[in-house]
Amino acid sequence: MSSSSAAQSAKPPMRDALVAAAFRLFLERGYEQTTVDDIVALAGVGRRSFFRYFPSKEDVVFPDHERCLADMTAFLSVSEPGHEPVQRVCDAARLVLRMYAENPTFSVQRYRLTKQVPGLRAYELSVVWRYERALADYLRARFAGRRDGILRADVIAAAVVAAHNNALRSWLRSDGEGDAGTAVDHALGYVQSAFGQDESPRVAAPQAEDVVVVVARRDAPLWRVVQEVESALGRA
Amino acid sequence: MSSSSAAQSAKPPMRDALVAAAFRLFLERGYEQTTVDDIVALAGVGRRSFFRYFPSKEDVVFPDHERCLADMTAFLSVSEPGHEPVQRVCDAARLVLRMYAENPTFSVQRYRLTKQVPGLRAYELSVVWRYERALADYLRARFAGRRDGILRADVIAAAVVAAHNNALRSWLRSDGEGDAGTAVDHALGYVQSAFGQDESPRVAAPQAEDVVVVVARRDAPLWRVVQEVESALGRA
């Protein structure tokens, strides 16, 4: 989206300098061994400047998640009733992927760092939780009044996040080689095949616009199956 | 399972006394305002006794998760090839529910406390992550060699955890009234309907033993639909 590109280009140079200095030190000395004082000394700014941009040392490791969460919330808030809900949350999840894919080298470095430091792993879990809540909140609103709407919203949001992260982590483990977008599309396609469109994927009913699904026992008499098909097609 | 009941009854009284003292103080003064020293003073034991049972103050809030994770891992490790994988992870998730349902008053108190204290929320996310990994690891092994086996394992594990937690939180919000088991069964049933048995729920093919699924465009000519049904039933 153009909004995120605009936010990207408007990022203050000092903030970028702090992130660059922090990562240089994290990679050289390790995360735990690097203090905020070390970071500001290398970046040539004062401590107050650091804390203007980042509430804590952990936050400098994930400098773009707040912007990405805001982008995702904005994206979902301009959804229209015509948007298929599961498709829409899959598209929202792709915004996160794009943030990682914008800078593969940085993303791979951070992935390795996060695996090594339990505190960063915990931080990442809380960020993932917030993405999941944003998707679930949108789906809850879309499914309001439907049977099991909240349950379905929570389960689908979790499935979308898990599929996205499965593909993202594969890409990060391969050092950012290959096309992350294709892998994520494939993973999200699996979730859509399980949850997309239909109210209840395995139920035989003509809810969808142009598709009829009939389920019959293999040993059912043929006349009974044809009757069901005719009935479902609205021709009996 | 009898093993967990045995572990339950074998819990040392001092450990129970520390949990009881901690929760009495958390509820009276608040979590942040209570120190480990306060807890051991009320329980009448020394600091070393506290840290023998709990690595940190956070751990005393969730005294049974380690046992439950061990129970879950043990349960999954004795799985047999005949166990339907999605059913099996749903049954594993029910072990977590049983831990909460064993003591509704304590579970509801902890739920309220966790909502108020961000540090406890983060702790809980890390515990949930470990349950999810245990389920995903089991499914990854069961789906090994299958197309998209790892993706499917991760997505189904996340969906099971989300469904379980959706029902669990509803029950906790209602102050532990009603039957948590029924709510969780219903929620897990939704996940099983989306992912259970079939390789790919919405594909039209007679993979299942006794069921044929036919998908047709609503405007398909009837003769074409009947042909598909006959073909799928193996009678053409």
Side-chain angles (χ1 to χ4, degrees):
Chain A
M1 292 186 304
S2 56
S3 67
S4 77
S5 310
Q8 181 80 347
S9 58
K11 255 195 313 194
M14 192 190 289
R15 191 173 185 279
D16 287 348
L18 284 164
V19 173
F23 268 81
R24 193 171 138 191
L25 292 169
F26 294 159
L27 295 173
E28 280 175 17
R29 310 179 182 180
Y31 176 79
E32 304 289 5
Q33 288 73 40
T34 301
T35 66
V36 171
D37 285 330
D38 298 332
I39 297 168
V40 297
L42 182 61
V45 303
R47 274 179 72 87
R48 284 182 56 191
S49 300
F50 182 91
F51 290 108
R52 190 181 309 146
Y53 295 113
F54 305 106
S56 71
K57 191 174 80 172
E58 285 171 352
D59 292 280
V60 77
V61 180
F62 305 95
D64 298 318
H65 276 305
E66 290 301 329
R67 166 177 70 83
C68 189
L69 272 159
D71 280 355
M72 180 187 278
T73 306
F75 175 80
L76 292 171
S77 73
V78 297
S79 300
E80 289 168 16
H83 285 126
E84 199 283 309
V86 180
Q87 174 74 50
R88 190 70 176 165
V89 290
C90 287
D91 288 344
R94 288 186 178 91
L95 298 177
V96 183
L97 179 77
R98 207 178 44 196
M99 177 192 69
Y100 280 84
E102 269 171 3
N103 195 338
T105 306
F106 178 67
S107 296
V108 169
Q109 284 174 349
R110 176 171 59 193
Y111 173 68
R112 291 182 190 152
L113 191 65
T114 304
K115 284 213 298 184
Q116 289 160 11
V117 183
L120 297 180
R121 187 77 200 102
Y123 186 103
E124 193 172 52
L125 285 178
S126 73
V127 170
V128 170
W129 173 249
R130 290 171 67 197
Y131 285 120
E132 190 172 318
R133 289 329 303 161
L135 301 181
D137 286 347
Y138 166 75
L139 290 173
R140 283 178 175 213
R142 286 298 304 268
F143 295 162
R146 287 200 206 170
R147 189 166 58 87
D148 289 330
I150 293 175
L151 170 64
R152 293 173 59 221
D154 289 0
V155 169
I156 293 171
V160 167
V161 167
H164 172 276
N165 286 351
N166 172 285
L168 173 62
R169 279 194 297 265
S170 294
W171 179 73
L172 292 169
R173 267 197 304 274
S174 73
D175 294 337
E177 294 291 320
D179 183 11
T182 305
V184 164
D185 287 347
H186 177 73
L188 293 174
Y190 171 60
V191 174
Q192 285 186 272
S193 77
F195 294 109
Q197 301 284 354
D198 285 358
E199 286 283 347
S200 171
R202 301 176 75 229
V203 165
Q207 293 131 321
E209 278 304 293
D210 60 353
V211 170
V212 168
V213 178
V214 171
V215 178
R217 291 186 58 86
R218 221 184 200 321
D219 56 2
L222 186 56
W223 67 266
R224 190 78 187 79
V225 178
V226 172
Q227 198 179 58
E228 286 295 326
V229 172
E230 287 183 325
S231 159
L233 287 168
R235 293 176 199 173
Chain B
M1 294 186 305
S2 57
S3 67
S4 77
S5 310
Q8 181 80 347
S9 57
K11 257 195 312 196
M14 191 190 288
R15 191 174 186 277
D16 287 349
L18 284 163
V19 173
F23 268 80
R24 194 169 138 192
L25 292 169
F26 294 159
L27 295 174
E28 279 175 19
R29 311 180 180 180
Y31 175 78
E32 304 288 7
Q33 288 72 42
T34 301
T35 65
V36 171
D37 284 330
D38 297 334
I39 297 166
V40 298
L42 182 61
V45 303
R47 273 179 74 86
R48 283 181 58 192
S49 299
F50 182 92
F51 289 109
R52 190 181 309 147
Y53 294 112
F54 306 106
S56 73
K57 191 173 80 170
E58 285 172 352
D59 292 281
V60 77
V61 180
F62 305 95
D64 298 318
H65 276 304
E66 290 300 331
R67 167 179 67 87
C68 190
L69 272 159
D71 279 355
M72 180 187 277
T73 306
F75 176 80
L76 291 170
S77 73
V78 298
S79 300
E80 289 168 16
H83 285 126
E84 199 282 310
V86 180
Q87 174 73 51
R88 190 69 176 167
V89 288
C90 288
D91 288 343
R94 288 186 178 93
L95 298 177
V96 182
L97 179 78
R98 207 178 46 195
M99 176 191 69
Y100 281 84
E102 269 171 3
N103 195 339
T105 307
F106 178 67
S107 297
V108 170
Q109 285 175 347
R110 175 170 61 192
Y111 173 68
R112 292 184 189 148
L113 191 65
T114 304
K115 284 215 296 186
Q116 289 160 12
V117 182
L120 296 181
R121 187 78 198 102
Y123 187 102
E124 192 172 52
L125 284 178
S126 72
V127 170
V128 171
W129 172 251
R130 290 171 67 197
Y131 285 120
E132 190 172 318
R133 289 330 302 163
L135 301 182
D137 285 347
Y138 166 74
L139 290 173
R140 283 179 175 212
R142 286 299 304 268
F143 294 162
R146 288 201 208 170
R147 190 167 56 90
D148 289 330
I150 293 175
L151 170 64
R152 295 172 59 220
D154 288 0
V155 169
I156 293 171
V160 166
V161 167
H164 171 276
N165 286 351
N166 172 286
L168 173 63
R169 279 194 298 266
S170 295
W171 178 74
L172 292 169
R173 267 198 305 274
S174 73
D175 295 337
E177 294 290 320
D179 183 12
T182 305
V184 164
D185 287 347
H186 177 73
L188 293 174
Y190 172 60
V191 174
Q192 286 187 273
S193 77
F195 293 109
Q197 302 285 352
D198 284 358
E199 285 285 346
S200 171
R202 300 175 76 230
V203 165
Q207 293 133 320
E209 278 306 292
D210 60 350
V211 170
V212 168
V213 179
V214 171
V215 178
R217 290 187 61 85
R218 224 182 197 323
D219 55 2
L222 186 56
W223 66 267
R224 188 79 188 77
V225 178
V226 172
Q227 198 178 57
E228 286 294 326
V229 172
E230 288 183 324
S231 159
L233 289 167
R235 294 177 198 172

